[in-house]
Amino acid sequence: MNIEEKKQLVYRQYEEVMNKKNLDMIDADFADNFVDHEAAPGAQPGREGLKHWLRHLHDVVSDFEVMIEDILIDGDKVAVRNLWRGTHTGPFLGMPPTGKRFEVKGIVIWRIENGKLQERWATFDLWALHKQLGMG
């Protein structure tokens, strides 16, 4: 894959999977043996665990949206600095629904192999989330 193809593969995850809730794209774009190094606690491994987590996220954040702020590509890795936002309408990470809007920044590193997303490492500003929701 060239740089532009890698970029489009990652952009598609944010637009189609995260924002449009098209979880079928996970089966199309993720490797069969995909490894999520930052999977939600207790999640089953691989694509099914990711689908389960995203369904939950879409259920508890009614107007969930992720925007890419920067994207950097080096070899088989794509780093994304992103902004997550939405309204907290359901229980999330042990927090009861608050009805409050939030914006948090995160960074995700994807590894691409044979045209598929093979691995993911991610972090987001949990402290800012807690503070915005009145939990910290």
Side-chain angles (χ1 to χ4, degrees), residues 23 26-27 29-40 42-55 110 117-120:
L23 300 185
I26 291 172
D27 290 330
D29 288 343
F30 286 67
D32 291 340
N33 58 345
F34 167 72
V35 176
D36 188 349
H37 296 281
E38 312 308 329
Q44 70 184 81
R47 297 186 311 199
E48 291 308 312
L50 182 60
K51 286 183 206 175
H52 183 284
W53 166 248
L54 289 173
R55 276 188 209 100
W110 301 93
L117 295 166
Q118 180 64 54
E119 293 181 85
R120 182 184 85 99

Short mmCIF file of all heavy atoms in Angstrom, two decimals, residues 23 26-27 29-40 42-55 110 117-120:
data_model
loop_
_atom_site.label_atom_id
_atom_site.label_comp_id
_atom_site.label_asym_id
_atom_site.label_seq_id
_atom_site.Cartn_x
_atom_site.Cartn_y
_atom_site.Cartn_z
N LEU A 23 -20.41 -0.79 11.39
CA LEU A 23 -19.47 -1.76 11.96
C LEU A 23 -19.09 -2.87 11.00
O LEU A 23 -18.11 -3.59 11.24
CB LEU A 23 -20.04 -2.33 13.26
CG LEU A 23 -20.33 -1.29 14.36
CD1 LEU A 23 -20.78 -1.99 15.63
CD2 LEU A 23 -19.15 -0.38 14.62
N ILE A 26 -15.49 -3.07 9.82
CA ILE A 26 -14.46 -3.73 10.62
C ILE A 26 -14.09 -5.06 9.98
O ILE A 26 -12.91 -5.37 9.84
CB ILE A 26 -14.93 -3.90 12.09
CG1 ILE A 26 -15.02 -2.52 12.76
CG2 ILE A 26 -14.00 -4.84 12.86
CD1 ILE A 26 -15.64 -2.53 14.13
N ASP A 27 -15.07 -5.83 9.55
CA ASP A 27 -14.76 -7.11 8.90
C ASP A 27 -14.03 -6.90 7.58
O ASP A 27 -13.18 -7.70 7.20
CB ASP A 27 -16.04 -7.92 8.66
CG ASP A 27 -16.63 -8.44 9.96
OD1 ASP A 27 -15.87 -8.70 10.91
OD2 ASP A 27 -17.86 -8.57 10.04
N ASP A 29 -12.00 -4.25 6.75
CA ASP A 29 -10.71 -3.55 6.82
C ASP A 29 -9.75 -4.04 7.88
O ASP A 29 -8.59 -3.66 7.88
CB ASP A 29 -10.95 -2.05 7.05
CG ASP A 29 -11.52 -1.36 5.81
OD1 ASP A 29 -11.44 -1.92 4.71
OD2 ASP A 29 -12.05 -0.24 5.98
N PHE A 30 -10.21 -4.88 8.80
CA PHE A 30 -9.34 -5.36 9.87
C PHE A 30 -8.91 -6.79 9.57
O PHE A 30 -9.70 -7.61 9.10
CB PHE A 30 -10.07 -5.32 11.21
CG PHE A 30 -10.24 -3.93 11.78
CD1 PHE A 30 -11.05 -3.01 11.17
CD2 PHE A 30 -9.58 -3.58 12.94
CE1 PHE A 30 -11.21 -1.73 11.69
CE2 PHE A 30 -9.73 -2.31 13.48
CZ PHE A 30 -10.54 -1.38 12.85
N ALA A 31 -7.67 -7.11 9.90
CA ALA A 31 -7.15 -8.46 9.72
C ALA A 31 -7.94 -9.44 10.58
O ALA A 31 -8.47 -9.08 11.64
CB ALA A 31 -5.67 -8.50 10.10
N ASP A 32 -8.01 -10.69 10.12
CA ASP A 32 -8.71 -11.73 10.88
C ASP A 32 -8.14 -11.87 12.29
O ASP A 32 -8.86 -12.14 13.23
CB ASP A 32 -8.62 -13.07 10.17
CG ASP A 32 -9.43 -13.10 8.87
OD1 ASP A 32 -10.33 -12.26 8.70
OD2 ASP A 32 -9.14 -13.96 8.02
N ASN A 33 -6.84 -11.71 12.41
CA ASN A 33 -6.17 -11.86 13.71
C ASN A 33 -5.77 -10.50 14.29
O ASN A 33 -4.75 -10.37 14.96
CB ASN A 33 -4.97 -12.79 13.60
CG ASN A 33 -3.96 -12.29 12.58
OD1 ASN A 33 -4.24 -11.42 11.75
ND2 ASN A 33 -2.77 -12.87 12.62
N PHE A 34 -6.60 -9.49 14.07
CA PHE A 34 -6.39 -8.13 14.58
C PHE A 34 -6.14 -8.15 16.08
O PHE A 34 -6.81 -8.87 16.82
CB PHE A 34 -7.63 -7.27 14.27
CG PHE A 34 -7.67 -5.97 14.99
CD1 PHE A 34 -6.82 -4.93 14.63
CD2 PHE A 34 -8.55 -5.76 16.03
CE1 PHE A 34 -6.85 -3.72 15.30
CE2 PHE A 34 -8.60 -4.55 16.70
CZ PHE A 34 -7.74 -3.53 16.33
N VAL A 35 -5.17 -7.35 16.54
CA VAL A 35 -4.84 -7.25 17.96
C VAL A 35 -5.08 -5.82 18.42
O VAL A 35 -4.49 -4.88 17.87
CB VAL A 35 -3.37 -7.65 18.23
CG1 VAL A 35 -3.02 -7.45 19.70
CG2 VAL A 35 -3.11 -9.08 17.79
N ASP A 36 -5.95 -5.66 19.41
CA ASP A 36 -6.22 -4.36 20.00
C ASP A 36 -5.50 -4.32 21.34
O ASP A 36 -5.96 -4.90 22.31
CB ASP A 36 -7.72 -4.16 20.17
CG ASP A 36 -8.09 -2.75 20.60
OD1 ASP A 36 -7.17 -1.99 20.96
OD2 ASP A 36 -9.28 -2.44 20.59
N HIS A 37 -4.37 -3.64 21.37
CA HIS A 37 -3.56 -3.59 22.59
C HIS A 37 -4.22 -2.78 23.70
O HIS A 37 -3.78 -2.84 24.84
CB HIS A 37 -2.17 -3.03 22.27
CG HIS A 37 -1.39 -3.90 21.34
ND1 HIS A 37 -0.74 -5.04 21.76
CD2 HIS A 37 -1.19 -3.81 20.00
CE1 HIS A 37 -0.15 -5.60 20.72
NE2 HIS A 37 -0.41 -4.89 19.64
N GLU A 38 -5.23 -2.01 23.35
CA GLU A 38 -5.93 -1.17 24.34
C GLU A 38 -7.41 -1.55 24.40
O GLU A 38 -8.28 -0.69 24.58
CB GLU A 38 -5.78 0.31 24.01
CG GLU A 38 -4.39 0.77 23.70
CD GLU A 38 -3.34 0.41 24.75
OE1 GLU A 38 -3.67 0.33 25.94
OE2 GLU A 38 -2.19 0.21 24.35
N ALA A 39 -7.70 -2.81 24.26
CA ALA A 39 -9.10 -3.27 24.29
C ALA A 39 -9.75 -2.90 25.62
O ALA A 39 -9.07 -2.79 26.65
CB ALA A 39 -9.16 -4.78 24.08
N ALA A 40 -11.04 -2.69 25.59
CA ALA A 40 -11.79 -2.38 26.81
C ALA A 40 -11.63 -3.53 27.80
O ALA A 40 -11.53 -4.70 27.40
CB ALA A 40 -13.26 -2.17 26.47
N GLY A 42 -12.13 -6.60 29.92
CA GLY A 42 -13.06 -7.71 29.80
C GLY A 42 -13.54 -8.00 28.39
O GLY A 42 -14.30 -8.94 28.18
N ALA A 43 -13.11 -7.20 27.41
CA ALA A 43 -13.56 -7.41 26.03
C ALA A 43 -12.91 -8.65 25.44
O ALA A 43 -11.76 -8.96 25.74
CB ALA A 43 -13.22 -6.20 25.17
N GLN A 44 -13.66 -9.35 24.60
CA GLN A 44 -13.06 -10.47 23.91
C GLN A 44 -12.06 -9.91 22.90
O GLN A 44 -12.16 -8.76 22.48
CB GLN A 44 -14.12 -11.34 23.24
CG GLN A 44 -14.82 -10.71 22.05
CD GLN A 44 -15.93 -11.61 21.52
OE1 GLN A 44 -17.01 -11.63 22.06
NE2 GLN A 44 -15.65 -12.33 20.46
N PRO A 45 -11.07 -10.69 22.54
CA PRO A 45 -10.03 -10.18 21.65
C PRO A 45 -10.52 -9.99 20.21
O PRO A 45 -11.56 -10.52 19.82
CB PRO A 45 -8.95 -11.25 21.72
CG PRO A 45 -9.65 -12.49 22.14
CD PRO A 45 -10.82 -12.05 22.96
N GLY A 46 -9.75 -9.23 19.46
CA GLY A 46 -9.96 -9.12 18.03
C GLY A 46 -11.12 -8.24 17.60
O GLY A 46 -11.59 -7.37 18.34
N ARG A 47 -11.56 -8.52 16.38
CA ARG A 47 -12.60 -7.70 15.75
C ARG A 47 -13.91 -7.74 16.52
O ARG A 47 -14.59 -6.72 16.64
CB ARG A 47 -12.83 -8.16 14.30
CG ARG A 47 -11.63 -7.98 13.44
CD ARG A 47 -11.85 -8.30 11.98
NE ARG A 47 -12.50 -9.56 11.72
CZ ARG A 47 -12.48 -10.18 10.55
NH1 ARG A 47 -11.85 -9.66 9.53
NH2 ARG A 47 -13.10 -11.32 10.38
N GLU A 48 -14.29 -8.89 17.04
CA GLU A 48 -15.57 -8.98 17.74
C GLU A 48 -15.57 -8.15 19.02
O GLU A 48 -16.57 -7.51 19.35
CB GLU A 48 -15.93 -10.44 18.05
CG GLU A 48 -16.26 -11.25 16.80
CD GLU A 48 -17.32 -10.58 15.92
OE1 GLU A 48 -18.38 -10.16 16.44
OE2 GLU A 48 -17.09 -10.48 14.69
N GLY A 49 -14.45 -8.14 19.73
CA GLY A 49 -14.35 -7.31 20.92
C GLY A 49 -14.45 -5.83 20.58
O GLY A 49 -15.11 -5.06 21.28
N LEU A 50 -13.82 -5.43 19.47
CA LEU A 50 -13.90 -4.04 19.03
C LEU A 50 -15.33 -3.66 18.65
O LEU A 50 -15.82 -2.60 19.03
CB LEU A 50 -12.95 -3.81 17.85
CG LEU A 50 -12.88 -2.39 17.31
CD1 LEU A 50 -12.43 -1.40 18.37
CD2 LEU A 50 -11.96 -2.34 16.09
N LYS A 51 -16.01 -4.54 17.95
CA LYS A 51 -17.41 -4.27 17.58
C LYS A 51 -18.28 -4.11 18.82
O LYS A 51 -19.11 -3.20 18.89
CB LYS A 51 -17.97 -5.41 16.72
CG LYS A 51 -17.47 -5.44 15.32
CD LYS A 51 -18.17 -6.58 14.59
CE LYS A 51 -17.35 -7.09 13.47
NZ LYS A 51 -17.98 -8.27 12.84
N HIS A 52 -18.09 -4.99 19.78
CA HIS A 52 -18.88 -4.92 21.01
C HIS A 52 -18.65 -3.59 21.72
O HIS A 52 -19.59 -2.93 22.15
CB HIS A 52 -18.52 -6.08 21.93
CG HIS A 52 -19.31 -6.14 23.18
ND1 HIS A 52 -19.09 -5.29 24.24
CD2 HIS A 52 -20.34 -6.93 23.55
CE1 HIS A 52 -19.96 -5.54 25.20
NE2 HIS A 52 -20.72 -6.54 24.81
N TRP A 53 -17.37 -3.17 21.84
CA TRP A 53 -17.03 -1.90 22.49
C TRP A 53 -17.66 -0.72 21.75
O TRP A 53 -18.22 0.18 22.36
CB TRP A 53 -15.52 -1.77 22.56
CG TRP A 53 -15.05 -0.39 22.91
CD1 TRP A 53 -14.38 0.47 22.11
CD2 TRP A 53 -15.22 0.29 24.16
NE1 TRP A 53 -14.12 1.64 22.79
CE2 TRP A 53 -14.63 1.55 24.05
CE3 TRP A 53 -15.83 -0.07 25.37
CZ2 TRP A 53 -14.62 2.48 25.08
CZ3 TRP A 53 -15.82 0.86 26.40
CH2 TRP A 53 -15.22 2.11 26.25
N LEU A 54 -17.57 -0.73 20.42
CA LEU A 54 -18.12 0.40 19.66
C LEU A 54 -19.65 0.44 19.72
O LEU A 54 -20.23 1.53 19.79
CB LEU A 54 -17.64 0.35 18.22
CG LEU A 54 -16.15 0.68 18.05
CD1 LEU A 54 -15.71 0.44 16.62
CD2 LEU A 54 -15.85 2.10 18.50
N ARG A 55 -20.29 -0.71 19.73
CA ARG A 55 -21.76 -0.71 19.91
C ARG A 55 -22.12 -0.06 21.25
O ARG A 55 -23.04 0.75 21.33
CB ARG A 55 -22.31 -2.14 19.87
CG ARG A 55 -22.55 -2.65 18.50
CD ARG A 55 -23.29 -4.01 18.53
NE ARG A 55 -22.91 -4.76 17.36
CZ ARG A 55 -22.01 -5.73 17.33
NH1 ARG A 55 -21.40 -6.13 18.42
NH2 ARG A 55 -21.72 -6.33 16.20
N TRP A 110 -2.01 2.84 14.53
CA TRP A 110 -2.45 1.65 13.79
C TRP A 110 -1.25 1.04 13.10
O TRP A 110 -0.38 1.76 12.61
CB TRP A 110 -3.45 2.04 12.70
CG TRP A 110 -4.68 2.73 13.17
CD1 TRP A 110 -4.88 4.08 13.26
CD2 TRP A 110 -5.90 2.12 13.58
NE1 TRP A 110 -6.15 4.34 13.70
CE2 TRP A 110 -6.80 3.15 13.91
CE3 TRP A 110 -6.32 0.79 13.72
CZ2 TRP A 110 -8.09 2.91 14.35
CZ3 TRP A 110 -7.60 0.56 14.15
CH2 TRP A 110 -8.48 1.60 14.47
N LEU A 117 -5.89 -3.46 8.73
CA LEU A 117 -5.50 -2.98 10.05
C LEU A 117 -5.18 -4.19 10.92
O LEU A 117 -6.04 -5.05 11.14
CB LEU A 117 -6.61 -2.13 10.65
CG LEU A 117 -6.87 -0.84 9.86
CD1 LEU A 117 -8.18 -0.21 10.27
CD2 LEU A 117 -5.73 0.13 10.04
N GLN A 118 -3.94 -4.28 11.36
CA GLN A 118 -3.45 -5.46 12.08
C GLN A 118 -3.37 -5.24 13.59
O GLN A 118 -3.68 -6.14 14.36
CB GLN A 118 -2.06 -5.84 11.54
CG GLN A 118 -1.46 -7.05 12.20
CD GLN A 118 -2.26 -8.30 11.92
OE1 GLN A 118 -2.53 -8.63 10.78
NE2 GLN A 118 -2.65 -9.01 12.96
N GLU A 119 -2.95 -4.03 14.00
CA GLU A 119 -2.81 -3.75 15.43
C GLU A 119 -3.24 -2.32 15.71
O GLU A 119 -3.19 -1.46 14.84
CB GLU A 119 -1.36 -3.90 15.89
CG GLU A 119 -0.84 -5.31 15.84
CD GLU A 119 0.60 -5.39 16.33
OE1 GLU A 119 0.80 -5.49 17.56
OE2 GLU A 119 1.51 -5.33 15.48
N ARG A 120 -3.65 -2.09 16.99
CA ARG A 120 -4.05 -0.76 17.43
C ARG A 120 -3.56 -0.53 18.85
O ARG A 120 -3.71 -1.38 19.72
CB ARG A 120 -5.57 -0.62 17.41
CG ARG A 120 -6.07 0.76 17.82
CD ARG A 120 -7.60 0.79 17.87
NE ARG A 120 -8.08 0.33 19.15
CZ ARG A 120 -8.46 1.14 20.16
NH1 ARG A 120 -8.44 2.44 20.01
NH2 ARG A 120 -8.88 0.63 21.29
#
